[in-house]
Amino acid sequence: CMGKMPGQEGPDVWSVYLSTPNARQTLKDAQAHGGRVIVDAMDVADLGTMSVITDPSGAAVGAWQPGTHPGFGVVYEDNAPTWFELHSRGYKAAVDFYREVFGWNTVIASDTNELRYTLLQAGETPLAGIMDDTGHTPDSVPSHWVVYFGVADADAVTARIKQLGGSITMEPMDTPYGRLAGAVDPCGAAFNLMQANREAPAGLESPKAAAAS
């Protein structure tokens, strides 16, 4: 969590950073596949090298080349990140982009007019998803990444969010993937909640995982 830099425009947001072995090469690959550079590759002391780009559908995403700071190491636990999802208005181009630029193993989970969804997988382990947002949101809503935090009790957490000055954009609801909810913190940054009854998937420590900051 960090404050805005002087002159930085736009609302408060949670950002997603994807691990890469070479941030500068990732920038070149991104530009070659229709991406645009927002922040050029820069070393952050000895912690690592970062950059920020937009994919062909316009969604901003960071790239992080680990140094002494590998990124977060706790996932699939209560109060920790548990899912990352791109809502894209350029679905096919976005899927191709992440496959080619970040080396994703992409698996189609659904391909119907009601839901087009592709998973990033490491072996059999799903790590993130890309959803075709066309037809699901107004045209004014741009492509964007969504971060989910795992919780033990979505109803209790949404009640606490309201007490602390946040707001709820989607009340808790049961889905095949768990009990989900959407929220906005007092600064206006949106995030989602996921109450799921599952164990952490095996092999999670090995793949290119998404990192949020």
Side-chain angles (χ1 to χ4, degrees), residues 17-21 64 66 70 72-73 75-76 102-105 120-128 201-211:
Y17 284 76
L18 301 176
S19 180
T20 174
W64 179 259
F72 60 73
V75 290
Y76 287 100
F102 288 97
W104 280 18
N105 173 27
L120 154 66
Q121 289 193 182
E124 298 299 317
T125 303
L127 296 175
L204 186 62
E205 68 280 357
S206 62
K208 294 181 178 180

PDB file of all heavy atoms in Angstrom, residues 17-21 64 66 70 72-73 75-76 102-105 120-128 201-211:
ATOM      1  N   TYR A  17       0.407  -7.040 -10.081  1.00  0.00           N
ATOM      2  CA  TYR A  17       1.725  -7.184 -10.692  1.00  0.00           C
ATOM      3  C   TYR A  17       1.960  -8.656 -11.005  1.00  0.00           C
ATOM      4  O   TYR A  17       1.744  -9.511 -10.153  1.00  0.00           O
ATOM      5  CB  TYR A  17       2.827  -6.670  -9.751  1.00  0.00           C
ATOM      6  CG  TYR A  17       2.922  -5.166  -9.675  1.00  0.00           C
ATOM      7  CD1 TYR A  17       1.999  -4.434  -8.938  1.00  0.00           C
ATOM      8  CD2 TYR A  17       3.920  -4.478 -10.356  1.00  0.00           C
ATOM      9  CE1 TYR A  17       2.075  -3.046  -8.870  1.00  0.00           C
ATOM     10  CE2 TYR A  17       4.008  -3.097 -10.290  1.00  0.00           C
ATOM     11  CZ  TYR A  17       3.075  -2.386  -9.552  1.00  0.00           C
ATOM     12  OH  TYR A  17       3.147  -1.009  -9.491  1.00  0.00           O
ATOM     13  N   LEU A  18       2.425  -8.921 -12.195  1.00  0.00           N
ATOM     14  CA  LEU A  18       2.729 -10.286 -12.606  1.00  0.00           C
ATOM     15  C   LEU A  18       4.237 -10.496 -12.588  1.00  0.00           C
ATOM     16  O   LEU A  18       4.996  -9.661 -13.074  1.00  0.00           O
ATOM     17  CB  LEU A  18       2.184 -10.558 -14.006  1.00  0.00           C
ATOM     18  CG  LEU A  18       0.673 -10.381 -14.177  1.00  0.00           C
ATOM     19  CD1 LEU A  18       0.281 -10.592 -15.635  1.00  0.00           C
ATOM     20  CD2 LEU A  18      -0.089 -11.338 -13.283  1.00  0.00           C
ATOM     21  N   SER A  19       4.657 -11.616 -12.018  1.00  0.00           N
ATOM     22  CA  SER A  19       6.073 -11.924 -11.918  1.00  0.00           C
ATOM     23  C   SER A  19       6.670 -12.197 -13.297  1.00  0.00           C
ATOM     24  O   SER A  19       6.034 -12.833 -14.147  1.00  0.00           O
ATOM     25  CB  SER A  19       6.263 -13.144 -11.018  1.00  0.00           C
ATOM     26  OG  SER A  19       7.631 -13.470 -10.906  1.00  0.00           O
ATOM     27  N   THR A  20       7.883 -11.710 -13.496  1.00  0.00           N
ATOM     28  CA  THR A  20       8.592 -11.924 -14.757  1.00  0.00           C
ATOM     29  C   THR A  20      10.075 -12.082 -14.465  1.00  0.00           C
ATOM     30  O   THR A  20      10.601 -11.450 -13.543  1.00  0.00           O
ATOM     31  CB  THR A  20       8.383 -10.748 -15.730  1.00  0.00           C
ATOM     32  OG1 THR A  20       9.204 -10.942 -16.893  1.00  0.00           O
ATOM     33  CG2 THR A  20       8.755  -9.418 -15.101  1.00  0.00           C
ATOM     34  N   PRO A  21      10.780 -12.918 -15.208  1.00  0.00           N
ATOM     35  CA  PRO A  21      12.227 -13.054 -14.995  1.00  0.00           C
ATOM     36  C   PRO A  21      13.021 -11.877 -15.559  1.00  0.00           C
ATOM     37  O   PRO A  21      14.194 -11.714 -15.207  1.00  0.00           O
ATOM     38  CB  PRO A  21      12.569 -14.359 -15.727  1.00  0.00           C
ATOM     39  CG  PRO A  21      11.529 -14.464 -16.796  1.00  0.00           C
ATOM     40  CD  PRO A  21      10.278 -13.891 -16.201  1.00  0.00           C
ATOM     41  N   TRP A  64       6.756  -7.381 -12.391  1.00  0.00           N
ATOM     42  CA  TRP A  64       7.723  -7.335 -11.290  1.00  0.00           C
ATOM     43  C   TRP A  64       8.759  -8.427 -11.473  1.00  0.00           C
ATOM     44  O   TRP A  64       8.440  -9.608 -11.511  1.00  0.00           O
ATOM     45  CB  TRP A  64       7.008  -7.513  -9.956  1.00  0.00           C
ATOM     46  CG  TRP A  64       7.934  -7.491  -8.766  1.00  0.00           C
ATOM     47  CD1 TRP A  64       8.400  -8.574  -8.066  1.00  0.00           C
ATOM     48  CD2 TRP A  64       8.529  -6.343  -8.162  1.00  0.00           C
ATOM     49  NE1 TRP A  64       9.236  -8.166  -7.058  1.00  0.00           N
ATOM     50  CE2 TRP A  64       9.335  -6.794  -7.091  1.00  0.00           C
ATOM     51  CE3 TRP A  64       8.461  -4.976  -8.425  1.00  0.00           C
ATOM     52  CZ2 TRP A  64      10.066  -5.922  -6.280  1.00  0.00           C
ATOM     53  CZ3 TRP A  64       9.184  -4.099  -7.625  1.00  0.00           C
ATOM     54  CH2 TRP A  64       9.970  -4.571  -6.567  1.00  0.00           C
ATOM     55  N   PRO A  66      11.605 -10.076  -9.556  1.00  0.00           N
ATOM     56  CA  PRO A  66      12.028 -10.122  -8.161  1.00  0.00           C
ATOM     57  C   PRO A  66      13.524  -9.950  -7.980  1.00  0.00           C
ATOM     58  O   PRO A  66      14.333 -10.471  -8.752  1.00  0.00           O
ATOM     59  CB  PRO A  66      11.598 -11.526  -7.698  1.00  0.00           C
ATOM     60  CG  PRO A  66      10.555 -11.944  -8.688  1.00  0.00           C
ATOM     61  CD  PRO A  66      10.970 -11.319  -9.985  1.00  0.00           C
ATOM     62  N   PRO A  70      10.544 -11.078  -3.313  1.00  0.00           N
ATOM     63  CA  PRO A  70       9.935 -11.933  -4.330  1.00  0.00           C
ATOM     64  C   PRO A  70       8.474 -11.627  -4.604  1.00  0.00           C
ATOM     65  O   PRO A  70       7.911 -12.108  -5.584  1.00  0.00           O
ATOM     66  CB  PRO A  70      10.092 -13.331  -3.729  1.00  0.00           C
ATOM     67  CG  PRO A  70      10.052 -13.102  -2.256  1.00  0.00           C
ATOM     68  CD  PRO A  70      10.752 -11.782  -2.041  1.00  0.00           C
ATOM     69  N   PHE A  72       4.460 -11.258  -2.492  1.00  0.00           N
ATOM     70  CA  PHE A  72       3.850 -11.868  -1.310  1.00  0.00           C
ATOM     71  C   PHE A  72       3.905 -13.386  -1.414  1.00  0.00           C
ATOM     72  O   PHE A  72       3.947 -13.966  -2.487  1.00  0.00           O
ATOM     73  CB  PHE A  72       2.418 -11.367  -1.083  1.00  0.00           C
ATOM     74  CG  PHE A  72       1.475 -11.641  -2.216  1.00  0.00           C
ATOM     75  CD1 PHE A  72       1.007 -12.913  -2.470  1.00  0.00           C
ATOM     76  CD2 PHE A  72       1.024 -10.614  -3.035  1.00  0.00           C
ATOM     77  CE1 PHE A  72       0.129 -13.173  -3.499  1.00  0.00           C
ATOM     78  CE2 PHE A  72       0.146 -10.862  -4.072  1.00  0.00           C
ATOM     79  CZ  PHE A  72      -0.302 -12.135  -4.306  1.00  0.00           C
ATOM     80  N   GLY A  73       3.875 -14.044  -0.246  1.00  0.00           N
ATOM     81  CA  GLY A  73       3.978 -15.488  -0.237  1.00  0.00           C
ATOM     82  C   GLY A  73       2.804 -16.190   0.402  1.00  0.00           C
ATOM     83  O   GLY A  73       2.819 -17.403   0.542  1.00  0.00           O
ATOM     84  N   VAL A  75      -1.167 -16.926   0.125  1.00  0.00           N
ATOM     85  CA  VAL A  75      -2.364 -16.896  -0.708  1.00  0.00           C
ATOM     86  C   VAL A  75      -3.276 -18.033  -0.274  1.00  0.00           C
ATOM     87  O   VAL A  75      -2.867 -18.931   0.463  1.00  0.00           O
ATOM     88  CB  VAL A  75      -2.036 -17.038  -2.218  1.00  0.00           C
ATOM     89  CG1 VAL A  75      -1.360 -15.800  -2.747  1.00  0.00           C
ATOM     90  CG2 VAL A  75      -1.160 -18.265  -2.454  1.00  0.00           C
ATOM     91  N   TYR A  76      -4.521 -17.994  -0.740  1.00  0.00           N
ATOM     92  CA  TYR A  76      -5.499 -19.036  -0.430  1.00  0.00           C
ATOM     93  C   TYR A  76      -5.682 -19.213   1.074  1.00  0.00           C
ATOM     94  O   TYR A  76      -5.903 -20.313   1.562  1.00  0.00           O
ATOM     95  CB  TYR A  76      -5.117 -20.371  -1.085  1.00  0.00           C
ATOM     96  CG  TYR A  76      -5.335 -20.379  -2.577  1.00  0.00           C
ATOM     97  CD1 TYR A  76      -4.282 -20.188  -3.455  1.00  0.00           C
ATOM     98  CD2 TYR A  76      -6.612 -20.558  -3.111  1.00  0.00           C
ATOM     99  CE1 TYR A  76      -4.482 -20.180  -4.827  1.00  0.00           C
ATOM    100  CE2 TYR A  76      -6.817 -20.554  -4.478  1.00  0.00           C
ATOM    101  CZ  TYR A  76      -5.753 -20.365  -5.332  1.00  0.00           C
ATOM    102  OH  TYR A  76      -5.951 -20.352  -6.690  1.00  0.00           O
ATOM    103  N   PHE A 102       3.523 -13.072 -21.083  1.00  0.00           N
ATOM    104  CA  PHE A 102       3.862 -13.598 -19.768  1.00  0.00           C
ATOM    105  C   PHE A 102       3.982 -15.120 -19.740  1.00  0.00           C
ATOM    106  O   PHE A 102       4.226 -15.705 -18.687  1.00  0.00           O
ATOM    107  CB  PHE A 102       2.829 -13.146 -18.729  1.00  0.00           C
ATOM    108  CG  PHE A 102       2.928 -11.680 -18.392  1.00  0.00           C
ATOM    109  CD1 PHE A 102       2.093 -10.761 -19.010  1.00  0.00           C
ATOM    110  CD2 PHE A 102       3.867 -11.225 -17.478  1.00  0.00           C
ATOM    111  CE1 PHE A 102       2.183  -9.403 -18.705  1.00  0.00           C
ATOM    112  CE2 PHE A 102       3.965  -9.872 -17.177  1.00  0.00           C
ATOM    113  CZ  PHE A 102       3.121  -8.959 -17.791  1.00  0.00           C
ATOM    114  N   GLY A 103       3.813 -15.757 -20.886  1.00  0.00           N
ATOM    115  CA  GLY A 103       3.985 -17.196 -20.950  1.00  0.00           C
ATOM    116  C   GLY A 103       2.908 -17.988 -20.243  1.00  0.00           C
ATOM    117  O   GLY A 103       3.155 -19.100 -19.773  1.00  0.00           O
ATOM    118  N   TRP A 104       1.706 -17.440 -20.177  1.00  0.00           N
ATOM    119  CA  TRP A 104       0.612 -18.122 -19.483  1.00  0.00           C
ATOM    120  C   TRP A 104       0.191 -19.405 -20.186  1.00  0.00           C
ATOM    121  O   TRP A 104       0.145 -19.463 -21.418  1.00  0.00           O
ATOM    122  CB  TRP A 104      -0.602 -17.204 -19.412  1.00  0.00           C
ATOM    123  CG  TRP A 104      -0.539 -16.177 -18.333  1.00  0.00           C
ATOM    124  CD1 TRP A 104       0.576 -15.746 -17.656  1.00  0.00           C
ATOM    125  CD2 TRP A 104      -1.634 -15.431 -17.818  1.00  0.00           C
ATOM    126  NE1 TRP A 104       0.231 -14.787 -16.752  1.00  0.00           N
ATOM    127  CE2 TRP A 104      -1.116 -14.570 -16.827  1.00  0.00           C
ATOM    128  CE3 TRP A 104      -2.998 -15.403 -18.089  1.00  0.00           C
ATOM    129  CZ2 TRP A 104      -1.925 -13.687 -16.111  1.00  0.00           C
ATOM    130  CZ3 TRP A 104      -3.791 -14.527 -17.381  1.00  0.00           C
ATOM    131  CH2 TRP A 104      -3.261 -13.685 -16.401  1.00  0.00           C
ATOM    132  N   ASN A 105      -0.130 -20.393 -19.388  1.00  0.00           N
ATOM    133  CA  ASN A 105      -0.813 -21.582 -19.879  1.00  0.00           C
ATOM    134  C   ASN A 105      -2.306 -21.294 -19.771  1.00  0.00           C
ATOM    135  O   ASN A 105      -2.858 -21.280 -18.668  1.00  0.00           O
ATOM    136  CB  ASN A 105      -0.429 -22.801 -19.036  1.00  0.00           C
ATOM    137  CG  ASN A 105      -1.240 -24.025 -19.401  1.00  0.00           C
ATOM    138  OD1 ASN A 105      -1.718 -24.162 -20.529  1.00  0.00           O
ATOM    139  ND2 ASN A 105      -1.422 -24.913 -18.444  1.00  0.00           N
ATOM    140  N   LEU A 120      -5.747 -18.885 -16.256  1.00  0.00           N
ATOM    141  CA  LEU A 120      -4.303 -19.078 -16.220  1.00  0.00           C
ATOM    142  C   LEU A 120      -4.067 -20.260 -15.298  1.00  0.00           C
ATOM    143  O   LEU A 120      -4.536 -20.268 -14.159  1.00  0.00           O
ATOM    144  CB  LEU A 120      -3.600 -17.851 -15.654  1.00  0.00           C
ATOM    145  CG  LEU A 120      -2.238 -18.097 -14.985  1.00  0.00           C
ATOM    146  CD1 LEU A 120      -1.213 -18.564 -15.999  1.00  0.00           C
ATOM    147  CD2 LEU A 120      -1.751 -16.858 -14.268  1.00  0.00           C
ATOM    148  N   GLN A 121      -3.359 -21.266 -15.777  1.00  0.00           N
ATOM    149  CA  GLN A 121      -3.093 -22.442 -14.953  1.00  0.00           C
ATOM    150  C   GLN A 121      -1.613 -22.788 -14.952  1.00  0.00           C
ATOM    151  O   GLN A 121      -0.900 -22.549 -15.921  1.00  0.00           O
ATOM    152  CB  GLN A 121      -3.894 -23.655 -15.450  1.00  0.00           C
ATOM    153  CG  GLN A 121      -5.383 -23.557 -15.187  1.00  0.00           C
ATOM    154  CD  GLN A 121      -6.122 -24.863 -15.387  1.00  0.00           C
ATOM    155  OE1 GLN A 121      -7.321 -24.910 -15.250  1.00  0.00           O
ATOM    156  NE2 GLN A 121      -5.404 -25.932 -15.704  1.00  0.00           N
ATOM    157  N   ALA A 122      -1.174 -23.325 -13.814  1.00  0.00           N
ATOM    158  CA  ALA A 122       0.145 -23.933 -13.699  1.00  0.00           C
ATOM    159  C   ALA A 122      -0.107 -25.405 -13.439  1.00  0.00           C
ATOM    160  O   ALA A 122      -0.532 -25.773 -12.346  1.00  0.00           O
ATOM    161  CB  ALA A 122       0.931 -23.297 -12.569  1.00  0.00           C
ATOM    162  N   GLY A 123       0.064 -26.231 -14.435  1.00  0.00           N
ATOM    163  CA  GLY A 123      -0.364 -27.616 -14.310  1.00  0.00           C
ATOM    164  C   GLY A 123      -1.878 -27.648 -14.205  1.00  0.00           C
ATOM    165  O   GLY A 123      -2.583 -27.119 -15.053  1.00  0.00           O
ATOM    166  N   GLU A 124      -2.376 -28.223 -13.137  1.00  0.00           N
ATOM    167  CA  GLU A 124      -3.814 -28.259 -12.912  1.00  0.00           C
ATOM    168  C   GLU A 124      -4.266 -27.155 -11.959  1.00  0.00           C
ATOM    169  O   GLU A 124      -5.439 -27.080 -11.605  1.00  0.00           O
ATOM    170  CB  GLU A 124      -4.209 -29.633 -12.334  1.00  0.00           C
ATOM    171  CG  GLU A 124      -3.916 -30.797 -13.260  1.00  0.00           C
ATOM    172  CD  GLU A 124      -4.683 -30.680 -14.562  1.00  0.00           C
ATOM    173  OE1 GLU A 124      -5.877 -30.325 -14.526  1.00  0.00           O
ATOM    174  OE2 GLU A 124      -4.080 -30.933 -15.630  1.00  0.00           O
ATOM    175  N   THR A 125      -3.343 -26.289 -11.533  1.00  0.00           N
ATOM    176  CA  THR A 125      -3.651 -25.270 -10.537  1.00  0.00           C
ATOM    177  C   THR A 125      -4.069 -23.962 -11.199  1.00  0.00           C
ATOM    178  O   THR A 125      -3.269 -23.339 -11.896  1.00  0.00           O
ATOM    179  CB  THR A 125      -2.423 -24.999  -9.643  1.00  0.00           C
ATOM    180  OG1 THR A 125      -2.019 -26.212  -9.026  1.00  0.00           O
ATOM    181  CG2 THR A 125      -2.757 -23.973  -8.570  1.00  0.00           C
ATOM    182  N   PRO A 126      -5.308 -23.503 -11.005  1.00  0.00           N
ATOM    183  CA  PRO A 126      -5.719 -22.207 -11.548  1.00  0.00           C
ATOM    184  C   PRO A 126      -5.212 -21.074 -10.673  1.00  0.00           C
ATOM    185  O   PRO A 126      -5.246 -21.157  -9.444  1.00  0.00           O
ATOM    186  CB  PRO A 126      -7.244 -22.293 -11.519  1.00  0.00           C
ATOM    187  CG  PRO A 126      -7.555 -23.223 -10.395  1.00  0.00           C
ATOM    188  CD  PRO A 126      -6.417 -24.218 -10.351  1.00  0.00           C
ATOM    189  N   LEU A 127      -4.716 -19.998 -11.296  1.00  0.00           N
ATOM    190  CA  LEU A 127      -4.148 -18.865 -10.567  1.00  0.00           C
ATOM    191  C   LEU A 127      -4.876 -17.558 -10.819  1.00  0.00           C
ATOM    192  O   LEU A 127      -4.873 -16.664  -9.974  1.00  0.00           O
ATOM    193  CB  LEU A 127      -2.673 -18.682 -10.944  1.00  0.00           C
ATOM    194  CG  LEU A 127      -1.735 -19.831 -10.564  1.00  0.00           C
ATOM    195  CD1 LEU A 127      -0.345 -19.559 -11.104  1.00  0.00           C
ATOM    196  CD2 LEU A 127      -1.711 -20.010  -9.060  1.00  0.00           C
ATOM    197  N   ALA A 128      -5.466 -17.397 -11.993  1.00  0.00           N
ATOM    198  CA  ALA A 128      -6.141 -16.146 -12.337  1.00  0.00           C
ATOM    199  C   ALA A 128      -7.074 -16.418 -13.512  1.00  0.00           C
ATOM    200  O   ALA A 128      -7.029 -17.495 -14.125  1.00  0.00           O
ATOM    201  CB  ALA A 128      -5.127 -15.061 -12.697  1.00  0.00           C
ATOM    202  N   PRO A 201      -4.372 -25.125  -3.305  1.00  0.00           N
ATOM    203  CA  PRO A 201      -3.996 -26.088  -4.334  1.00  0.00           C
ATOM    204  C   PRO A 201      -2.516 -26.459  -4.252  1.00  0.00           C
ATOM    205  O   PRO A 201      -1.683 -25.618  -3.945  1.00  0.00           O
ATOM    206  CB  PRO A 201      -4.303 -25.342  -5.643  1.00  0.00           C
ATOM    207  CG  PRO A 201      -5.256 -24.271  -5.256  1.00  0.00           C
ATOM    208  CD  PRO A 201      -4.898 -23.882  -3.864  1.00  0.00           C
ATOM    209  N   ALA A 202      -2.189 -27.689  -4.518  1.00  0.00           N
ATOM    210  CA  ALA A 202      -0.805 -28.133  -4.520  1.00  0.00           C
ATOM    211  C   ALA A 202      -0.057 -27.494  -5.683  1.00  0.00           C
ATOM    212  O   ALA A 202      -0.611 -27.228  -6.732  1.00  0.00           O
ATOM    213  CB  ALA A 202      -0.753 -29.655  -4.630  1.00  0.00           C
ATOM    214  N   GLY A 203       1.208 -27.207  -5.462  1.00  0.00           N
ATOM    215  CA  GLY A 203       2.046 -26.668  -6.530  1.00  0.00           C
ATOM    216  C   GLY A 203       1.942 -25.179  -6.696  1.00  0.00           C
ATOM    217  O   GLY A 203       2.497 -24.608  -7.634  1.00  0.00           O
ATOM    218  N   LEU A 204       1.256 -24.495  -5.768  1.00  0.00           N
ATOM    219  CA  LEU A 204       1.043 -23.053  -5.938  1.00  0.00           C
ATOM    220  C   LEU A 204       2.353 -22.273  -5.871  1.00  0.00           C
ATOM    221  O   LEU A 204       2.472 -21.199  -6.431  1.00  0.00           O
ATOM    222  CB  LEU A 204       0.088 -22.550  -4.843  1.00  0.00           C
ATOM    223  CG  LEU A 204      -0.368 -21.094  -4.950  1.00  0.00           C
ATOM    224  CD1 LEU A 204      -1.148 -20.909  -6.236  1.00  0.00           C
ATOM    225  CD2 LEU A 204      -1.189 -20.692  -3.750  1.00  0.00           C
ATOM    226  N   GLU A 205       3.364 -22.844  -5.187  1.00  0.00           N
ATOM    227  CA  GLU A 205       4.595 -22.098  -4.982  1.00  0.00           C
ATOM    228  C   GLU A 205       5.458 -22.029  -6.235  1.00  0.00           C
ATOM    229  O   GLU A 205       6.358 -21.212  -6.328  1.00  0.00           O
ATOM    230  CB  GLU A 205       5.412 -22.741  -3.843  1.00  0.00           C
ATOM    231  CG  GLU A 205       5.960 -24.118  -4.185  1.00  0.00           C
ATOM    232  CD  GLU A 205       4.914 -25.213  -4.045  1.00  0.00           C
ATOM    233  OE1 GLU A 205       3.772 -24.932  -3.628  1.00  0.00           O
ATOM    234  OE2 GLU A 205       5.244 -26.368  -4.368  1.00  0.00           O
ATOM    235  N   SER A 206       5.167 -22.849  -7.245  1.00  0.00           N
ATOM    236  CA  SER A 206       6.083 -22.951  -8.366  1.00  0.00           C
ATOM    237  C   SER A 206       5.798 -22.025  -9.540  1.00  0.00           C
ATOM    238  O   SER A 206       6.717 -21.594 -10.203  1.00  0.00           O
ATOM    239  CB  SER A 206       6.111 -24.400  -8.866  1.00  0.00           C
ATOM    240  OG  SER A 206       4.826 -24.775  -9.320  1.00  0.00           O
ATOM    241  N   PRO A 207       4.524 -21.688  -9.856  1.00  0.00           N
ATOM    242  CA  PRO A 207       4.291 -20.977 -11.100  1.00  0.00           C
ATOM    243  C   PRO A 207       4.463 -19.478 -11.004  1.00  0.00           C
ATOM    244  O   PRO A 207       4.703 -18.922  -9.946  1.00  0.00           O
ATOM    245  CB  PRO A 207       2.827 -21.321 -11.391  1.00  0.00           C
ATOM    246  CG  PRO A 207       2.230 -21.453 -10.040  1.00  0.00           C
ATOM    247  CD  PRO A 207       3.295 -22.058  -9.180  1.00  0.00           C
ATOM    248  N   LYS A 208       4.310 -18.834 -12.155  1.00  0.00           N
ATOM    249  CA  LYS A 208       4.255 -17.370 -12.195  1.00  0.00           C
ATOM    250  C   LYS A 208       2.918 -16.946 -11.595  1.00  0.00           C
ATOM    251  O   LYS A 208       1.893 -17.009 -12.249  1.00  0.00           O
ATOM    252  CB  LYS A 208       4.340 -16.860 -13.629  1.00  0.00           C
ATOM    253  CG  LYS A 208       5.673 -17.119 -14.318  1.00  0.00           C
ATOM    254  CD  LYS A 208       5.612 -16.544 -15.724  1.00  0.00           C
ATOM    255  CE  LYS A 208       6.915 -16.722 -16.457  1.00  0.00           C
ATOM    256  NZ  LYS A 208       6.888 -16.178 -17.807  1.00  0.00           N
ATOM    257  N   ALA A 209       2.933 -16.479 -10.379  1.00  0.00           N
ATOM    258  CA  ALA A 209       1.695 -16.085  -9.718  1.00  0.00           C
ATOM    259  C   ALA A 209       1.517 -14.587  -9.836  1.00  0.00           C
ATOM    260  O   ALA A 209       2.467 -13.839 -10.014  1.00  0.00           O
ATOM    261  CB  ALA A 209       1.722 -16.504  -8.252  1.00  0.00           C
ATOM    262  N   ALA A 210       0.281 -14.134  -9.734  1.00  0.00           N
ATOM    263  CA  ALA A 210      -0.011 -12.705  -9.749  1.00  0.00           C
ATOM    264  C   ALA A 210       0.238 -12.137  -8.373  1.00  0.00           C
ATOM    265  O   ALA A 210       0.078 -12.796  -7.379  1.00  0.00           O
ATOM    266  CB  ALA A 210      -1.467 -12.485 -10.153  1.00  0.00           C
ATOM    267  N   ALA A 211       0.675 -10.887  -8.323  1.00  0.00           N
ATOM    268  CA  ALA A 211       0.918 -10.232  -7.050  1.00  0.00           C
ATOM    269  C   ALA A 211       0.178  -8.910  -7.016  1.00  0.00           C
ATOM    270  O   ALA A 211       0.167  -8.168  -7.985  1.00  0.00           O
ATOM    271  CB  ALA A 211       2.416  -9.990  -6.869  1.00  0.00           C
TER     272      ALA A 211
END
